[in-house]
Amino acid sequence: MRLTTREITIFAMLGAVMYASKVILEFAPNIHLLGVFTISFTVVYRRKALYPIYIYVLLNGLFSGFSAWWVPYLYIWTVLWGVVMLLPRKIPAIIRPLVYMIVCAVHGFLFGTLYAPVQAVLFGLSFEGMIAWIAAGLPWDFLHGISNFFCGMLIMPIITVLRMAEQHAEKSG
């Protein structure tokens, strides 16, 4: 996965956009565009989408602190990336937006469950304690999933813009 100077620049900017979007939406708990960006970048850049995703993760740690809350970020966005990588590339156009919106929503619904194992290990929770932690977060995961679904309406427009930019770069390059 060798990167060009152009790709390094683009991926740095996309990671920064992810981080900026998170900061801008911090007033609204569990409502953000991170899943939207993760899916969009993965559809367009495939394996290389990991670069902006992990730039976002690194920026999050740098500006908010590398502590226990941050550790699950090392894998939680990669799970979403992996699911999108497993989707067929030729999803019929009529259902493509809905598929991406549903995947984005499911990641939001499962966020607390995906987050919980590391928290259980770091804080010494038993299996029952971890389940209680997940159960306590279900209202937030519900909000997260619903908001991810509706924010997911932005996935196809973002994919379209990124692909247009890539085509323009190929013609100019």
Side-chain angles (χ1 to χ4, degrees):
M1 284 199 325
R2 188 162 189 202
L3 296 177
T4 64
T5 303
R6 181 186 161 282
E7 287 175 322
I8 292 168
T9 305
I10 296 294
F11 296 151
M13 289 190 314
L14 293 177
V17 165
M18 284 181 79
Y19 181 75
S21 74
K22 180 211 123 190
V23 171
I24 290 167
L25 289 171
E26 280 181 343
F27 71 91
N30 287 12
I31 299 173
H32 55 73
L33 300 175
L34 300 172
V36 168
F37 286 130
T38 299
I39 292 170
S40 302
F41 299 167
T42 304
V43 169
V44 174
Y45 298 109
R46 307 303 293 165
R47 289 184 319 170
K48 290 182 178 182
L50 288 172
Y51 289 108
I53 293 166
Y54 277 97
I55 288 169
Y56 159 73
V57 170
L58 179 62
L59 288 172
N60 224 353
L62 286 171
F63 288 109
S64 300
F66 296 101
S67 59
W69 68 267
W70 181 82
V71 174
Y73 276 49
L74 292 171
Y75 67 86
I76 214 156
W77 303 109
T78 311
V79 170
L80 180 55
W81 171 86
V83 169
V84 175
M85 288 292 286
L86 292 173
L87 292 174
R89 286 189 184 204
K90 303 262 183 195
I91 299 171
I94 191 88
I95 63 166
R96 193 175 305 141
L98 185 60
V99 169
Y100 295 148
M101 290 168 68
I102 289 170
V103 169
C104 197
V106 168
H107 187 259
F109 287 128
L110 293 175
F111 197 86
T113 303
L114 292 168
Y115 207 92
V118 168
Q119 296 297 294
V121 170
L122 291 174
F123 296 109
L125 298 177
S126 65
F127 181 76
E128 293 79 14
M130 181 180 76
I131 297 300
W133 191 86
I134 292 170
L138 286 177
W140 296 107
D141 289 338
F142 180 76
L143 173 64
H144 197 172
I146 296 298
S147 69
N148 273 12
F149 181 79
F150 288 107
C151 289
M153 291 188 288
L154 297 171
I155 294 169
M156 289 307 301
I158 292 170
I159 289 170
T160 301
V161 167
L162 290 173
R163 284 185 172 154
M164 286 172 48
E166 289 299 316
Q167 288 172 352
H168 178 72
E170 286 175 13
K171 289 178 186 174
S172 315

